[in-house]
């Protein structure tokens, strides 16, 4: 019979305290010597007790119990076997257990049992109270095989419970099967569980790699108090660089003693480099120029299999094909005509589509809102930033079905969610017309695993909120300006929804989503919507140029003196999104310079935090890592990236690059939080359909999926985190277990900043800007509906510039009408200029001037965010 501990090898196998062994030895008369008397007395007082009655089934099945659907049972040879009917929906539709187990706070216990199944499958093993809301001390998914295995789970009780229950939830299977249980014990006096994950080599590196012309740093975990030597080896084992570590010493964030290694000087390129120091050799990594384009593509392609309302095509997402979720096909009740919770309205809405929020089947407007905004910003940055490269986002760039439509794929993916957000708006004629419902989700929480198409729950629209409405206004406004060249009708629909939502929010400024939710979904509560008003006004201003929105911005308490806080922004605090867009997307806000300064000041704060962290971590120096901390790390990096786009100061670019190290493995756990990116990566993110940990026939999450990350807010912890992470140093408050939703979920809003930062990093090598080409873009005059611009290009270098091409994104509301002295062509947002000076090379010191007239709407003509100059 194989002995199998749950979760091995990541955890040390746990054994009851040695005291128990002493008791056994004493009983056998093996203990002699004088000092032993006291030990034996002590041991006798604490003799471990088995709380389970009749765990060997010697007396039949009493006091065990089983749900009524488990009628066929046998006890034979100390084993209890039960026939489990098929076609139950939930794990808890068939349960066996034992009640009245007394647990004492602070005491540690070991639950041990043997179990087998007639076919391999997982069951849910719980130590809990059978009282709503079922407080849980152990929640484990035991993966059973046809041969009996031993399972052992240790835990420490956090409260006194006189009525704890051991329950095996064995429902949820389509086919009938047999469950067999034997040798069940729950001993007191166990060794407390020790979290002992595989942290790999003590030399912690970015397991993907380092850009040739970027910062290259690593962190060594060591008790050494003096610098130690390091060596960088290439894939052939040749030493290509050496140096000495810098001693840092005790580090609160990891709870460990560390040194740092800086090998930024190295410019060699290739795969399979390793760093060796203090007798440890790091995981391999690359050094090169184009290390992040795959990550950028995967982080964005993550969204396709999160789509609701459509079958996922195996050919497009290999390994992830599945039936459409929440269309009106049984057992789904479908999202085609969803009523309001508790009959709060007398209409239904068709809210089919959109993305599932996370590992659950809920769809939440505020979280979908910030996610779709950040995806749209991947595109908006690509067309506006000096290092932006929209070609990387072209039609065909992602693994999605909408190829050949001429629309950049990232916008196609965003549209999938945008259309869902639009559908959540209360129809005209209803009491709260124009407001957006806060969310739609199941009536009750479902168990894991559960494919979207198999969810049988009724689903409801939850009450409209001001926050959701302003999310709709902000994202629909951004949608309007970005889709304008690709689908004017859809852009107009977005524009109109944005304005309607804005007006509705002004009318109902304080419909707050509560912090607690009915069962079946997350609350996404938010009772401060000042930031949402600011964001919506910002996006509407950028898109329409209307003064009323500028007035709203100026009147907001968030306008002057704003300072970025830890982690930049989040679904509940969206001011930072507004600030970045106001600063980087062309617009005529009178005090836009002030906003630029706020963004740059925010970036400085994060750089400062990175500098004082031996992990170059720009987050968590106050000891707090929030739920989804990895997204906070990345959101802060988008602020730093914006500062680079605005100033061109390479310190910010390097800050973004070095900031990715932590996410990709240079951290206390030696873990890359992105599935498939590194030697040791998260792969058991909490999800109902990427539930490979529970059912080997299901996949792990796709490559490019970000895990939530360390969470120090213990009040929100799940049972798995409670069991394993108590007392953790901040960076250790994470476990790659599917049950740990508070540290290891995946969500649409966490992958969005990964997509942004990975795209930024990928673009750092994308654009072969000609360094000796200087461009001055002047608006020489403007009238009500037009302007003229003159552009001067100078060769400041020593070599002639041939085949000069300029490119910029036309600010919203402007377009090229006619041009002279060059060919000026506008395609979508992008203007491309060629044949300057008749197409002759631009000689050193020489300048070319060309010009054009443009059409514009009522607002002032503004310059593009940047002009890219390339030479052949
Ligand atoms: O990301 C959310 C986090 O900020 C909240 O603190 C937490 C508790 O309300 O909820 C998180 O969101 C979860 C949502 O409620 C349900 N879907 C999964 C989300 C990620 O864990």
């Amino acid at each position: 019979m194989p002995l199998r501990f749950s979760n091995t090898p990541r955890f040390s196998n746990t054994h009851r305290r040695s005291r128990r062994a002493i008791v056994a030895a004493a009983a056998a008369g093996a203990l002699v010597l004088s000092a032993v008397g006291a030990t034996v007395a002590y041991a006798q007082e604490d003799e471990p007790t088995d709380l389970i009655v009749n765990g060997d089934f010697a007396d039949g099945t009493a006091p065990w119990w089983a749900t009524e659907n488990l009628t066929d049972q046998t006890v034979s040879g100390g084993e209890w076997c039960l026939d489990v009917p098929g076609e139950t929906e939930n794990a808890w539709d068939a349960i066996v257990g034992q009640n009245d187990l007394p647990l004492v706070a602070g005491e540690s216990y070991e639950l041990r049992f043997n179990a087998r199944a007639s076919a391999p499958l997982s069951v849910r093993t719980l130590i809990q109270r059978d009282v709503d809301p079922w407080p849980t001390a152990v929640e484990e998914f035991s993966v059973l095989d046809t041969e009996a295995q031993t399972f052992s789970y240790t835990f420490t009780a956090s409260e006194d419970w006189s009525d704890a229950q051991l329950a095996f939830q064995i429902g949820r299977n389509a086919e009938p099967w047999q469950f067999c249980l034997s040798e069940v014990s729950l001993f007191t006096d166990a060794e407390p569980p020790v979290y002992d994950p595989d942290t790999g080599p003590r030399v912690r590196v970015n397991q993907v790699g380092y850009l040739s012309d970027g910062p290259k740093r690593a962190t060594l975990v060591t008790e050494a108090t003096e610098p130690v030597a390091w060596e960088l080896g290439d894939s052939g084992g040749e030493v290509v660089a050496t140096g000495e570590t810098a001693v840092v010493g005790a580090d609160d964030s990891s709870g460990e003693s560390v040194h740092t290694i800086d090998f930024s000087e190295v410019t060699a390129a290739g795969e399979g480099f390793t760093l060796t120091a203090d007798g440890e050799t790091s995981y391999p990594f690359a050094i090169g120029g184009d290390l992040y384009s795959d990550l950028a593509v995967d982080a964005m392609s993550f969204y396709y299999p999160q789509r609701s309302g459509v079958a996922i095509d195996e050919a497009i997402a290999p390994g992830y094909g599945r039936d459409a979720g929440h269309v009106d096909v049984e057992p789904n009740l479908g999202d085609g005509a969803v009523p309001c919770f508790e009959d709060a309205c007398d209409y239904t809405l068709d809210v089919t589509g959109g993305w599932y929020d996370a590992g659950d089947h809920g769809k939440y407007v505020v979280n979908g809102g910030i996610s779709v905004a950040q995806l749209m910003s991947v595109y908006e940055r690509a067309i506006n930033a000096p290092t932006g490269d929209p070609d990387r986002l072209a039609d065909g760039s992602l693994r999605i079905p909408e190829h050949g439509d001429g629309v950049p794929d990232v916008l196609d993916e965003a549209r999938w969610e945008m259309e869902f957000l639009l559908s959540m708006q209360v129809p005209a004629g209803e009491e709260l017309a124009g407001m957006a419902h806060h969310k739609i989700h199941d009536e009750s929480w479902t168990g894991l695993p559960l494919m979207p198409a198999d969810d049988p729950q009724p689903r409801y629209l939850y009450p409209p909120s001001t926050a959701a409405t302003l999310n709709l206004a902000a994202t629909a406004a951004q949608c309007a300006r970005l889709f304008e060249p690709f689908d004017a009708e859809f852009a107009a629909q977005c524009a109109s929804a944005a304005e309607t939502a804005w007006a509705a929010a002004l009318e109902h400024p304080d419909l707050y989503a509560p912090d607690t939710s009915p069962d079946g979904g997350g609350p996404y509560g938010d009772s401060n919507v000042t930031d949402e008003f600011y964001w919506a006004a910002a996006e509407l201003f950028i898109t329409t140029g209307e003064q009323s929105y500028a007035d709203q911005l100026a009147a907001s308490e968030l306008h002057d003196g704003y300072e970025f806080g830890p982690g930049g922004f989040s679904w509940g605090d969206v001011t930072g999104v507004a600030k970045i867009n106001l600063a980087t997307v062309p617009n005529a806000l009178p005090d836009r310079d002030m906003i630029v300064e706020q963004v740059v000041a925010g970036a400085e704060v994060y750089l400062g935090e990175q500098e004082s962290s031996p992990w170059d971590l720009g987050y968590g120096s106050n000891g707090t890592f929030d739920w989804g901390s990895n997204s906070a790390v990345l959101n802060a990096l988008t602020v730093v990236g914006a500062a680079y786009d605005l100033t061109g100061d390479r310190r910010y670019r390097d800050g973004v690059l070095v900031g990715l190290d932590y996410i990709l493995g240079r951290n206390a756990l030696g873990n890359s939080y992105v599935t498939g990116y590194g030697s040791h990566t998260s792969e058991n993110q909490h999800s109902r359909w990427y539930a490979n940990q529970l059912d080997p026939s299901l996949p792990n999450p796709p490559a490019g999926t970000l895990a939530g990350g360390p969470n120090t807010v213990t009040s929100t912890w799940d049972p798995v985190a409670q069991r394993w992470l108590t007392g953790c140093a901040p960076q250790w408050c994470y476990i790659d277990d599917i049950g740990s939703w508070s540290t290891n979920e995946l969500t649409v809003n966490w992958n969005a900043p990964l997509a942004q930062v990975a795209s930024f990093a990928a673009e750092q090598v994308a654009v072969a800007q000609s360094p000796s080409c200087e461009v001055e873009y002047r608006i020489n005059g403007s009238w009500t509906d037009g302007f003229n611009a003159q552009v001067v290009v100078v060769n400041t270098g020593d070599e002639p510039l041939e085949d000069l091409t300029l490119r910029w994104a036309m600010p919203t509301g402007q377009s090229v009408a006619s041009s002279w002295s060059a060919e000026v062509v506008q395609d979508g947002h992008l203007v491309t200029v060629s044949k300057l000076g008749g197409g002759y090379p631009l000689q050193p010191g020489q300048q070319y001037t060309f010009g054009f007239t443009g059409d514009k709407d009522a607002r002032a003509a503004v310059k593009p965010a940047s002009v890219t100059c390339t030479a052949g």
Side-chain angles (χ1 to χ4, degrees):
M1 194 186 298
L3 178 71
R4 211 178 94 171
F5 290 92
S6 158
N7 297 324
T8 49
R10 288 170 298 140
F11 308 111
S12 61
N13 294 349
T14 48
H15 302 285
R16 285 186 285 284
R17 273 183 210 157
S18 49
R19 273 187 269 164
R20 192 169 171 226
I22 294 169
V23 171
L31 289 178
V32 282
L33 300 176
S34 56
V36 170
T39 312
V40 171
Y42 171 68
Q44 279 168 346
E45 270 170 32
D46 279 37
E47 187 164 342
T49 315
D50 184 1
L51 302 180
I52 297 290
V53 178
N54 189 26
D56 58 3
F57 303 100
D59 301 327
T61 61
W64 293 91
W65 53 265
T67 46
E68 279 173 6
N69 51 355
L70 300 168
T71 44
D72 288 336
Q73 315 177 2
T74 53
V75 173
S76 158
E79 193 180 44
W80 185 25
C81 290
L82 304 101
D83 288 342
V84 188
E87 294 187 7
T88 51
E89 282 170 8
N90 305 298
W92 49 89
D93 292 342
I95 318 178
V96 299
Q98 186 169 128
N99 290 350
D100 301 323
L101 308 171
L103 300 186
V104 177
E107 176 66 61
S108 296
Y109 300 85
E110 182 190 11
L111 169 66
R112 208 177 168 94
F113 58 91
N114 293 347
R116 64 188 173 96
S118 52
L121 45 75
S122 66
V123 299
R124 191 163 173 233
T125 304
L126 294 158
I127 303 266
Q128 61 176 9
R129 287 188 69 215
D130 187 20
V131 179
D132 194 0
W134 293 276
T136 305
V138 172
E139 181 192 29
E140 279 287 344
F141 296 94
S142 314
V143 183
L144 310 186
D145 211 334
T146 50
E147 220 184 317
Q149 301 168 88
T150 300
F151 294 86
S152 165
Y153 305 122
T154 56
F155 64 99
T156 305
S158 55
E159 290 174 43
D160 288 343
W161 291 349
S162 60
D163 57 353
Q165 171 188 78
L166 166 64
F168 296 98
Q169 297 187 342
I170 56 181
R172 198 195 53 75
N173 281 291
E175 301 298 323
W177 62 288
Q178 192 181 51
F179 174 64
C180 294
L181 187 65
S182 60
E183 290 182 43
V184 190
S185 61
L186 178 62
F187 270 99
T188 61
D189 202 29
E191 197 69 50
V194 176
Y195 182 41
D196 185 21
D198 172 12
T199 53
R202 286 184 289 105
V203 186
R204 303 285 159 67
V205 297
N206 177 331
Q207 295 171 22
V208 171
Y210 299 86
L211 292 194
S212 297
D213 65 348
K216 296 174 201 69
R217 293 205 272 275
T219 306
L220 169 68
V221 175
T222 178
E223 293 296 328
T225 52
E226 298 295 323
V228 301
W230 59 260
E231 278 184 6
L232 176 73
D234 66 15
S235 58
E238 290 289 312
V239 174
V240 293
T242 59
E244 278 204 337
T245 62
V247 179
V248 177
D251 163 54
D252 288 344
S253 148
S254 60
E256 290 170 318
S257 180
V258 299
H259 294 192
T260 55
I261 296 171
D262 193 329
F263 57 110
S264 301
E265 299 297 301
V266 174
T267 52
E271 304 275 329
F273 288 94
T274 52
L275 261 181
T276 301
D278 204 26
E280 294 267 317
T281 297
S282 73
Y283 289 128
F285 53 85
I287 300 177
D290 186 13
L291 303 181
Y292 291 115
S293 20
D294 290 350
L295 178 59
V297 167
D298 286 350
M300 289 184 273
S301 298
F302 156 92
Y303 289 88
Y304 171 54
Q306 282 293 122
R307 288 189 193 183
S308 178
V310 67
I312 303 306
D313 186 343
E314 177 71 22
I316 295 170
Y320 297 94
R322 59 168 172 81
D323 291 340
H326 300 95
V327 289
D328 302 339
V329 173
E330 286 186 2
N332 281 171
L333 299 179
D335 287 352
V338 181
C340 287
F341 184 62
E342 292 178 331
D343 295 326
C345 66
D346 56 10
Y347 54 85
T348 61
L349 292 182
D350 179 354
V351 294
T352 310
W355 300 315
Y356 296 116
D357 182 59
D360 59 327
H361 300 142
K363 303 189 289 194
Y364 309 87
V365 168
V366 294
N367 213 43
I370 191 166
S371 310
V372 78
Q374 290 186 267
L375 273 200
M376 287 192 282
S377 288
V378 170
Y379 177 72
E380 199 153 36
R381 179 187 175 278
I383 60 172
N384 285 319
T387 57
D389 181 7
D391 294 346
R392 289 173 170 263
L393 304 170
D395 186 22
S397 57
L398 302 183
R399 292 188 302 277
I400 62 167
E402 294 84 1
H403 288 179
D405 63 359
V407 179
D409 277 1
V410 69
L411 290 186
D412 277 325
E413 190 55 64
R415 180 170 181 163
W416 188 265
E417 178 70 3
M418 205 57 242
E419 290 190 347
F420 159 72
L421 297 180
L422 293 169
S423 75
M424 291 290 277
Q425 196 164 26
V426 178
E430 302 294 342
E431 195 191 335
L432 294 173
M435 298 291 284
H437 285 275
H438 198 65
K439 51 185 189 157
I440 174 216
H441 59 70
D442 289 352
E443 184 171 58
S444 304
W445 282 112
T446 53
L448 277 67
L450 183 66
M451 297 306 282
D454 295 338
D455 175 16
Q457 293 279 322
R459 288 155 76 82
Y460 301 108
L461 300 168
Y462 293 83
S465 70
T466 310
T469 305
L470 291 166
N471 263 263
L472 175 62
T475 54
Q478 190 178 13
C479 161
R481 66 176 179 264
L482 290 180
F483 280 88
E484 216 275 324
F486 302 110
D487 185 340
E489 206 178 310
F490 180 57
Q493 188 192 346
C494 283
S496 139
E499 282 169 356
T500 313
W502 173 259
L506 285 181
E507 209 176 315
H508 306 283
D510 52 7
L511 284 185
Y512 300 131
D515 280 333
T516 52
S517 171
D519 199 21
Y524 286 115
D526 193 352
S527 53
N528 181 348
V529 294
T530 319
D531 52 318
E532 281 82 4
F533 270 110
Y534 193 80
W535 180 31
E539 299 301 340
L540 279 157
F541 178 72
I542 296 169
T543 300
T544 67
E546 279 173 26
Q547 186 60 35
S548 63
Y549 299 116
D551 294 344
Q552 290 279 347
L553 290 171
S556 169
E557 65 192 52
L558 296 167
H559 196 55
D560 306 323
Y562 178 77
E563 289 176 15
F564 278 84
F569 46 85
S570 66
W571 64 262
D573 173 13
V574 292
T575 313
V577 182
K579 296 290 184 184
I580 290 178
N581 288 351
L582 283 172
T584 58
V585 181
N587 66 77
L589 193 70
D591 47 6
R592 191 169 157 212
D593 288 352
M594 176 187 78
I595 311 288
V596 170
E597 280 167 25
Q598 290 170 355
V599 171
V600 173
E604 280 299 333
V605 171
Y606 305 130
L607 284 195
E609 216 169 320
Q610 283 186 341
E611 270 158 33
S612 59
S613 160
W615 312 90
D616 284 292
L617 178 57
Y619 177 77
S621 59
N622 60 1
T624 300
F625 283 53
D626 270 317
W627 191 310
S629 62
N630 284 335
S631 73
V633 172
L634 291 164
N635 281 334
L637 293 181
T638 68
V639 182
V640 180
Y644 177 58
D645 297 341
L646 292 163
T647 65
D649 183 340
R650 279 179 71 102
R651 289 189 311 120
Y652 301 121
R653 170 207 193 247
D654 288 353
V656 177
L657 295 173
V658 84
L660 258 180
D661 289 356
Y662 167 86
I663 297 291
L664 296 172
R666 186 181 158 208
N667 54 52
L669 296 181
N671 180 56
S672 164
Y673 289 104
V674 182
T675 307
Y677 281 84
S679 300
H680 185 283
T681 83
S682 298
E683 58 182 20
N684 293 312
Q685 287 94 325
H686 180 82
S687 161
R688 279 165 178 69
W689 57 104
Y690 305 134
N692 176 269
Q693 189 184 334
L694 309 182
D695 177 348
S697 72
L698 294 172
N700 291 105
T705 301
L706 181 72
N711 178 349
T712 59
V713 187
T714 57
S715 60
T716 62
W717 274 358
D718 54 81
V720 174
Q722 278 170 35
R723 244 175 89 214
W724 293 105
L725 304 181
T726 302
C728 51
Q731 284 196 40
W732 284 73
C733 300
Y734 168 81
I735 180 166
D736 184 23
D737 188 292
I738 195 163
S740 186
W741 66 78
S742 68
T743 78
N744 198 35
E745 193 152 358
L746 53 88
T747 74
V748 290
N749 59 315
W750 302 339
N751 248 71
L754 178 65
Q756 288 184 292
V757 174
S759 298
F760 178 99
E763 286 178 343
Q764 295 317 304
V765 291
V767 181
Q769 273 264 31
S770 175
S772 65
C773 170
E774 259 183 30
V775 181
E776 193 194 344
Y777 185 109
R778 297 182 197 142
I779 293 166
N780 279 345
S782 69
W783 50 99
T784 319
D785 55 2
F787 66 101
N788 71 52
Q790 192 182 27
V791 183
V792 182
V793 190
V794 186
N795 183 351
T796 56
D798 306 326
E799 301 289 328
L801 294 172
E802 295 188 37
D803 295 329
L804 264 187
T805 307
L806 303 191
R807 182 153 84 173
W808 66 83
M810 212 57 186
T812 306
Q814 301 177 23
S815 56
V816 173
S818 64
S819 63
W820 59 92
S821 304
E823 195 170 289
V824 182
V825 178
Q826 181 165 0
D827 181 12
H829 296 101
L830 295 173
V831 175
T832 307
V833 183
S834 54
K835 305 211 174 94
L836 290 89
Y840 293 105
L842 182 63
Q843 300 301 327
Q846 200 187 354
Q847 70 177 46
Y848 282 149
T849 301
F850 67 94
F852 67 96
T853 59
D855 296 327
K856 70 170 192 64
D857 59 17
R859 74 186 95 179
V862 290
K863 294 183 194 179
S866 71
V867 179
T868 309
C869 177
T870 51

